[in-house]
Every structure is written in structure tokens, then in C-alpha cells.
């Protein structure tokens, strides 16, 4: 998808289109933001040096700070080299993801969603039955991948759920724990961990 984003042609209405779409995919996938949170970001909500992103009064009126990965920070800095150049509007309250010749227009959630759906099609992103993902599935993927890394590293996943809930802006840990139940790969990892921890006990009980 990143390669397809890079191949997009800038337009009169969206002169930063390739850069905008690349950054949108990177941040949605690596930080698990909601689509609406991303389009509402202003330039002063992103600190490229520290990699902190300020999410203001999002869903359930919750605000939070989201630290970006090193790769995402590099993507932000690369994007800002174009975004802050003339003639684009560079006021602190200007939109991070912008369209229009002077960078004064903010993407809408629907507009960004449609652009990402076109990327799914162009990059032929689909499951084995040919179904295309939804934009919100990128956020789901972020959560699942975070939990799978914890399992693979032998970390205590349950104790990590509150941190992940805070990072993702969930109102309750119940929303975050939802991801534990419906992913086969997660169940496999949990079974492997249980077997590694209790195989000796099970062997003794069966003799």
C-alpha cells in the first residue's frame, strides 16, 4: 500500500496526495488512531522530535498523548519537509493532513476513508475470499499485532491491556480485551504458551 501511495499523482486539489496517503497509512497502522482522530490533527498536535501526538477530546471526550514508533517519527519528519514548504499554510492550527493549493483545507473522515479504500483496491488488499478490509480494520490490526508481540515475547498480556486501552483511547478495558477472543492466531499463541508452561504438569497428571 505504501508503494501504491507513493505512485499516486498529485492533483490540483490535492498537491500533497502521495505524501498524505503514505503518512495516513503509517500512522493508522503503527499508532492505531481512529480515522477521525487523524483528520483532526493540527500541525501543533505533532512533535516530530519526540514523536508525541496530541489527541484532543476524541471519542468519549477523552484526550491523550500517543508516542510514535521510530519509523513513524521518520515518516512524520519526511512528510513535514513537504507540508511546511511554501505555499502551504504552516500556522500551528493548520491541518496536518491538508488538501487545496495552499494547504488550508482539512480532509474529512469520509474523504480520507474513500481515498484509503481506493488504495486497498489498487494494492489488491483482500482476504482469501476476496473481501476488502474496512479502514477501521487498520486500527484492529494495530491492537492485535501489539498483543501478539506480547505473547511472543512472553509478556503478561492481561496486565498490558490497561496500557493498550489508554494508548488507543478506549473508555473501558473491556473494549480492548475484545481483541483477545476472535483472532485464531491469538488463540494459537495462547495455547502454545499454556502448553510450554504446563506440559510437565499435564504429563504427570496423565501417568
Amino acid at each position: 500500500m505504501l508503494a501504491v501511495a507513493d505512485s499516486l499523482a498529485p492533483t490540483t486539489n490535492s498537491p500533497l496526495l502521495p505524501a498524505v496517503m503514505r503518512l495516513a497509512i503509517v500512522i493508522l497502522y503503527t499508532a492505531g488512531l481512529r480515522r477521525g482522530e487523524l483528520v483532526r490533527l493540527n500541525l501543533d498536535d505533532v512533535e516530530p522530535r519526540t514523536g508525541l501526538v496530541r489527541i484532543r477530546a476524541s471519542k468519549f471526550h477523552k484526550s491523550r498523548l500517543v508516542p510514535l514508533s521510530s519509523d513513524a517519527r521518520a515518516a512524520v519528519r519526511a512528510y513535514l519537509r513537504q507540508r511546511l514548504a511554501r505555499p502551504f499554510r504552516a500556522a500551528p492550527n493548520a491541518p496536518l493532513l491538508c488538501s487545496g493549493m495552499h494547504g488550508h483545507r482539512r480532509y474529512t473522515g469520509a474523504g480520507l476513508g474513500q481515498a484509503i479504500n481506493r488504495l486497498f483496491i489498487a494494492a489488491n488488499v483482500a482476504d482469501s475470499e476476496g473481501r476488502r478490509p474496512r479502514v477501521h480494520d487498520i486500527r484492529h490490526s494495530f491492537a492485535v499485532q501489539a498483543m501478539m508481540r506480547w505473547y511472543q515475547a512472553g509478556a503478561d498480556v492481561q496486565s498490558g491491556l490497561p496500557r493498550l486501552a489508554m494508548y488507543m483511547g478506549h473508555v473501558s478495558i473491556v473494549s480492548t480485551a475484545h481483541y483477545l477472543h476472535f483472532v485464531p492466531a491469538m488463540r494459537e499463541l495462547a495455547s502454545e504458551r499454556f502448553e510450554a508452561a504446563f506440559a510437565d504438569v499435564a504429563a504427570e497428571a496423565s501417568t
Side-chain angles (χ1 to χ4, degrees):
M1 287 187 68
L2 294 179
V4 172
D6 290 340
S7 71
L8 295 173
T11 68
T12 301
N13 289 329
S14 298
L16 290 177
L17 182 63
V20 164
M21 296 312 301
R22 164 175 272 273
L23 186 67
I25 294 300
V26 168
I27 291 185
L28 289 173
Y29 185 75
T30 64
L33 267 60
R34 300 178 178 93
R35 182 184 65 185
E37 292 172 341
L38 179 58
V39 298
R40 286 193 296 272
L41 289 178
N42 293 331
L43 287 173
D44 64 350
D45 289 326
V46 178
E47 216 305 312
R49 185 180 60 82
T50 62
L52 284 177
V53 174
R54 183 186 300 106
I55 308 298
R56 302 175 189 265
S58 185
K59 195 172 182 181
F60 309 112
H61 307 290
K62 293 170 68 72
S63 297
R64 67 192 192 277
L65 290 175
V66 174
L68 297 178
S69 68
S70 58
D71 287 344
R73 289 199 301 271
V76 167
R77 289 193 292 267
Y79 171 76
L80 288 177
R81 284 195 287 272
Q82 298 181 63
R83 173 65 184 83
L84 298 178
R86 292 182 177 179
F88 303 111
R89 181 169 173 256
N93 65 345
L96 176 68
L97 302 186
C98 67
S99 61
M101 281 305 296
H102 300 288
H104 62 281
R105 288 209 304 268
R106 188 181 302 273
Y107 274 80
T108 64
L112 183 66
Q114 291 167 4
I116 292 175
N117 284 329
R118 289 194 291 270
L119 280 186
F120 287 146
I121 295 171
N124 196 27
V125 177
D127 64 15
S128 58
E129 298 179 4
R131 292 174 298 196
R132 303 287 180 193
R134 304 165 302 164
V135 175
H136 198 65
D137 290 333
I138 303 176
R139 177 171 162 87
H140 296 331
S141 182
F142 164 82
V144 170
Q145 291 298 322
M147 291 182 184
M148 289 180 66
R149 286 194 296 271
W150 288 343
Y151 269 115
Q152 290 165 343
D156 184 344
V157 176
Q158 290 293 336
S159 67
L161 287 180
R163 297 196 302 275
L164 185 58
M166 183 179 298
Y167 188 96
M168 296 184 71
H170 285 155
V171 69
S172 166
I173 192 175
V174 174
S175 300
T176 316
H178 166 83
Y179 295 109
L180 288 170
H181 302 293
F182 300 103
V183 183
M186 193 79 72
R187 290 197 294 268
E188 287 180 21
L189 287 168
S191 297
E192 290 171 3
R193 176 180 290 193
F194 182 87
E195 183 177 353
F198 297 105
D200 293 342
V201 177
E204 288 182 13
S206 63
T207 57

